[in-house]
PDB file of all heavy atoms in Angstrom:
ATOM      1  N   PHE A 129      26.756   7.743  15.016  1.00 96.00           N
ATOM      2  CA  PHE A 129      25.706   7.290  14.104  1.00 96.00           C
ATOM      3  C   PHE A 129      24.764   8.430  13.721  1.00 96.00           C
ATOM      4  O   PHE A 129      23.675   8.191  13.199  1.00 96.00           O
ATOM      5  CB  PHE A 129      24.917   6.131  14.737  1.00 96.00           C
ATOM      6  CG  PHE A 129      25.359   4.765  14.262  1.00 96.00           C
ATOM      7  CD1 PHE A 129      26.679   4.350  14.391  1.00 96.00           C
ATOM      8  CD2 PHE A 129      24.457   3.893  13.674  1.00 96.00           C
ATOM      9  CE1 PHE A 129      27.084   3.105  13.967  1.00 96.00           C
ATOM     10  CE2 PHE A 129      24.857   2.636  13.238  1.00 96.00           C
ATOM     11  CZ  PHE A 129      26.169   2.232  13.381  1.00 96.00           C
ATOM     12  N   HIS A 130      25.186   9.682  13.949  1.00 96.00           N
ATOM     13  CA  HIS A 130      24.315  10.827  13.661  1.00 96.00           C
ATOM     14  C   HIS A 130      24.107  11.031  12.156  1.00 96.00           C
ATOM     15  O   HIS A 130      23.103  11.628  11.749  1.00 96.00           O
ATOM     16  CB  HIS A 130      24.896  12.106  14.282  1.00 96.00           C
ATOM     17  CG  HIS A 130      24.748  12.163  15.777  1.00 96.00           C
ATOM     18  ND1 HIS A 130      23.624  12.669  16.386  1.00 96.00           N
ATOM     19  CD2 HIS A 130      25.563  11.751  16.780  1.00 96.00           C
ATOM     20  CE1 HIS A 130      23.760  12.589  17.706  1.00 96.00           C
ATOM     21  NE2 HIS A 130      24.919  12.027  17.971  1.00 96.00           N
ATOM     22  N   TYR A 131      25.027  10.557  11.344  1.00 96.00           N
ATOM     23  CA  TYR A 131      24.892  10.710   9.892  1.00 96.00           C
ATOM     24  C   TYR A 131      24.376   9.418   9.238  1.00 96.00           C
ATOM     25  O   TYR A 131      24.313   9.326   8.026  1.00 96.00           O
ATOM     26  CB  TYR A 131      26.245  11.079   9.274  1.00 96.00           C
ATOM     27  CG  TYR A 131      26.649  12.518   9.485  1.00 96.00           C
ATOM     28  CD1 TYR A 131      26.856  13.031  10.760  1.00 96.00           C
ATOM     29  CD2 TYR A 131      26.828  13.385   8.405  1.00 96.00           C
ATOM     30  CE1 TYR A 131      27.223  14.349  10.962  1.00 96.00           C
ATOM     31  CE2 TYR A 131      27.200  14.703   8.587  1.00 96.00           C
ATOM     32  CZ  TYR A 131      27.393  15.184   9.877  1.00 96.00           C
ATOM     33  OH  TYR A 131      27.761  16.503  10.066  1.00 96.00           O
ATOM     34  N   GLY A 132      24.035   8.456  10.053  1.00 96.00           N
ATOM     35  CA  GLY A 132      23.678   7.132   9.565  1.00 96.00           C
ATOM     36  C   GLY A 132      24.738   6.147  10.016  1.00 96.00           C
ATOM     37  O   GLY A 132      25.429   6.370  11.014  1.00 96.00           O
ATOM     38  N   PHE A 133      24.873   5.051   9.289  1.00 96.00           N
ATOM     39  CA  PHE A 133      25.809   4.016   9.704  1.00 96.00           C
ATOM     40  C   PHE A 133      27.251   4.518   9.616  1.00 96.00           C
ATOM     41  O   PHE A 133      27.707   4.929   8.563  1.00 96.00           O
ATOM     42  CB  PHE A 133      25.628   2.766   8.831  1.00 96.00           C
ATOM     43  CG  PHE A 133      26.077   1.498   9.507  1.00 96.00           C
ATOM     44  CD1 PHE A 133      25.156   0.588   9.998  1.00 96.00           C
ATOM     45  CD2 PHE A 133      27.421   1.217   9.675  1.00 96.00           C
ATOM     46  CE1 PHE A 133      25.544  -0.574  10.631  1.00 96.00           C
ATOM     47  CE2 PHE A 133      27.828   0.057  10.307  1.00 96.00           C
ATOM     48  CZ  PHE A 133      26.894  -0.847  10.790  1.00 96.00           C
ATOM     49  N   ASN A 134      27.968   4.475  10.717  1.00 96.00           N
ATOM     50  CA  ASN A 134      29.359   4.942  10.782  1.00 96.00           C
ATOM     51  C   ASN A 134      30.233   4.078   9.873  1.00 96.00           C
ATOM     52  O   ASN A 134      30.328   2.864  10.046  1.00 96.00           O
ATOM     53  CB  ASN A 134      29.847   4.871  12.232  1.00 96.00           C
ATOM     54  CG  ASN A 134      31.247   5.421  12.402  1.00 96.00           C
ATOM     55  OD1 ASN A 134      32.203   4.869  11.887  1.00 96.00           O
ATOM     56  ND2 ASN A 134      31.357   6.515  13.149  1.00 96.00           N
ATOM     57  N   SER A 135      30.889   4.709   8.890  1.00 94.00           N
ATOM     58  CA  SER A 135      31.604   3.939   7.871  1.00 94.00           C
ATOM     59  C   SER A 135      32.849   3.241   8.408  1.00 94.00           C
ATOM     60  O   SER A 135      33.256   2.205   7.870  1.00 94.00           O
ATOM     61  CB  SER A 135      31.978   4.836   6.685  1.00 94.00           C
ATOM     62  OG  SER A 135      32.702   5.961   7.125  1.00 94.00           O
ATOM     63  N   SER A 136      33.448   3.768   9.472  1.00 95.00           N
ATOM     64  CA  SER A 136      34.602   3.073  10.056  1.00 95.00           C
ATOM     65  C   SER A 136      34.167   1.774  10.723  1.00 95.00           C
ATOM     66  O   SER A 136      34.815   0.732  10.584  1.00 95.00           O
ATOM     67  CB  SER A 136      35.307   3.974  11.080  1.00 95.00           C
ATOM     68  OG  SER A 136      35.929   5.048  10.418  1.00 95.00           O
ATOM     69  N   TYR A 137      33.047   1.824  11.446  1.00 97.00           N
ATOM     70  CA  TYR A 137      32.530   0.594  12.048  1.00 97.00           C
ATOM     71  C   TYR A 137      32.033  -0.347  10.963  1.00 97.00           C
ATOM     72  O   TYR A 137      32.122  -1.572  11.093  1.00 97.00           O
ATOM     73  CB  TYR A 137      31.407   0.925  13.039  1.00 97.00           C
ATOM     74  CG  TYR A 137      30.780  -0.296  13.662  1.00 97.00           C
ATOM     75  CD1 TYR A 137      31.534  -1.182  14.431  1.00 97.00           C
ATOM     76  CD2 TYR A 137      29.430  -0.586  13.457  1.00 97.00           C
ATOM     77  CE1 TYR A 137      30.960  -2.315  14.998  1.00 97.00           C
ATOM     78  CE2 TYR A 137      28.842  -1.714  14.020  1.00 97.00           C
ATOM     79  CZ  TYR A 137      29.618  -2.575  14.778  1.00 97.00           C
ATOM     80  OH  TYR A 137      29.047  -3.702  15.330  1.00 97.00           O
ATOM     81  N   LEU A 138      31.518   0.215   9.870  1.00 97.00           N
ATOM     82  CA  LEU A 138      31.057  -0.613   8.756  1.00 97.00           C
ATOM     83  C   LEU A 138      32.214  -1.455   8.205  1.00 97.00           C
ATOM     84  O   LEU A 138      32.006  -2.608   7.810  1.00 97.00           O
ATOM     85  CB  LEU A 138      30.470   0.275   7.653  1.00 97.00           C
ATOM     86  CG  LEU A 138      29.835  -0.441   6.454  1.00 97.00           C
ATOM     87  CD1 LEU A 138      28.690  -1.354   6.888  1.00 97.00           C
ATOM     88  CD2 LEU A 138      29.334   0.576   5.428  1.00 97.00           C
TER      89      LEU A 138
END
Side-chain angles (χ1 to χ4, degrees):
F129 261 57
H130 286 273
Y131 284 62
F133 205 105
N134 184 294
S135 55
S136 291
Y137 178 61
L138 185 59

